[in-house]
Amino acid sequence: MTSTKLNTEQLIQLCISGNQSAQLEIYNRYYKVMYNTSFRIVKNSFLAEDIMQDSFLLAFTKLKELKDIKIFGPWLKRIVINNSIYHYKKNSKIQNVPLDDVLYKIEDTTTDIENNSEHTNLKVRMLLNTLKTLKENYRIALTLNLIEGYDYDEISEIMNITNANCRTTISRAKESLRQKLQLKETH
């Protein structure tokens, strides 16, 4: 049986035993999502790719420590997010580049909303473009909450802030996003 016919849990078992073709299959199944996750945080294509690859290497070396192989996807995403935030904070201390000067790719949303109308695609693009104009901590908090699906406790831990601060940040970020979207709709 070829590895493409195996489910993720079977592939993970093969990866634990050191099967490189299973590792390649897992990589091929997850790399786009993990790259997009990293890119939304670090806003640099090359850095996002490096982080994504480093995260896969770390995940494969720590795979035996994963208690439940059914949660491999979320576990890998958490590794990618933690690595991305670490690199983002490290690089933001070194260089202070205005957000408008940074090339920002919009995630290919067509796979998620293929059956929706062109109007919906435009609204999603407008929302994502507006999201990138928010203050950095607002953008990261909203991305983790609304796009990645993390709850307040997880975001607090990832961003190293208190739970109350996290709730306030997300609330303010939503309000800021709402105001910017209303301004765009009126113009």
Side-chain angles (χ1 to χ4, degrees), residues 50-177:
D50 286 347
I51 290 167
M52 183 249 329
Q53 290 176 1
D54 288 345
S55 297
F56 270 102
L57 288 173
L58 179 63
F60 287 139
T61 59
K62 301 283 185 185
L63 204 50
K64 291 178 183 173
E65 298 173 19
L66 181 62
K67 291 180 175 94
D68 183 4
I69 60 175
K70 291 178 181 168
I71 63 161
F72 174 78
W75 178 71
L76 178 61
K77 186 177 270 192
R78 173 68 135 219
I79 292 171
V80 170
I81 288 172
N82 287 342
N83 284 343
S84 298
I85 289 176
Y86 169 78
H87 284 285
Y88 173 77
K89 286 180 178 177
K90 184 174 130 187
N91 288 340
S92 66
K93 289 178 185 174
I94 296 170
Q95 56 181 193
N96 213 354
V97 179
L99 188 59
D100 293 337
D101 294 344
V102 178
L103 176 63
Y104 189 91
K105 289 184 182 176
I106 299 175
E107 179 183 14
D108 183 15
T109 57
T110 56
T111 56
D112 295 300
I113 54 174
E114 282 176 357
N115 298 324
N116 290 346
S117 68
E118 186 63 31
H119 180 70
T120 303
N121 287 338
L122 290 173
K123 279 190 166 189
V124 169
R125 285 193 182 105
M126 185 173 86
L127 177 70
L128 291 173
N129 281 329
T130 306
L131 181 65
K132 76 177 182 178
T133 67
L134 295 177
K135 287 181 11 180
E136 293 301 311
N137 61 329
Y138 286 4
R139 183 184 54 77
I140 291 172
L142 276 184
T143 298
L144 291 172
N145 183 247
L146 299 177
I147 297 175
E148 301 301 332
Y150 285 96
D151 64 26
Y152 293 124
D153 292 332
E154 294 169 318
I155 296 168
S156 299
E157 186 180 321
I158 290 169
M159 294 183 70
N160 198 23
I161 57 177
T162 65
N163 197 293
N165 191 356
C166 176
R167 290 178 185 278
T168 302
T169 300
I170 290 175
S171 175
R172 289 178 181 169
K174 286 179 180 177
E175 182 57 31
S176 178
L177 182 64

Side-chain angles (χ1 to χ4, degrees), residues 3-68:
S3 61
T4 56
K5 304 239 189 261
L6 298 175
N7 68 32
T8 302
E9 287 84 18
Q10 292 168 322
L11 286 169
I12 297 300
Q13 287 295 350
L14 290 171
C15 289
I16 290 172
S17 67
N19 185 313
Q20 290 182 348
S21 63
Q23 290 175 342
L24 180 61
E25 181 64 28
I26 288 291
Y27 178 85
N28 288 334
R29 288 184 184 186
Y30 285 92
Y31 81 93
K32 287 180 185 174
V33 172
M34 297 307 154
Y35 169 82
N36 287 332
T37 297
S38 181
F39 186 82
R40 282 192 298 268
I41 295 170
V42 299
K43 300 174 294 195
N44 177 302
S45 180
F46 297 113
L47 183 57
E49 191 165 323
D50 286 347
I51 290 167
M52 183 249 329
Q53 290 176 1
D54 288 345
S55 297
F56 270 102
L57 288 173
L58 179 63
F60 287 139
T61 59
K62 301 283 185 185
L63 204 50
K64 291 178 183 173
E65 298 173 19
L66 181 62
K67 291 180 175 94
D68 183 4

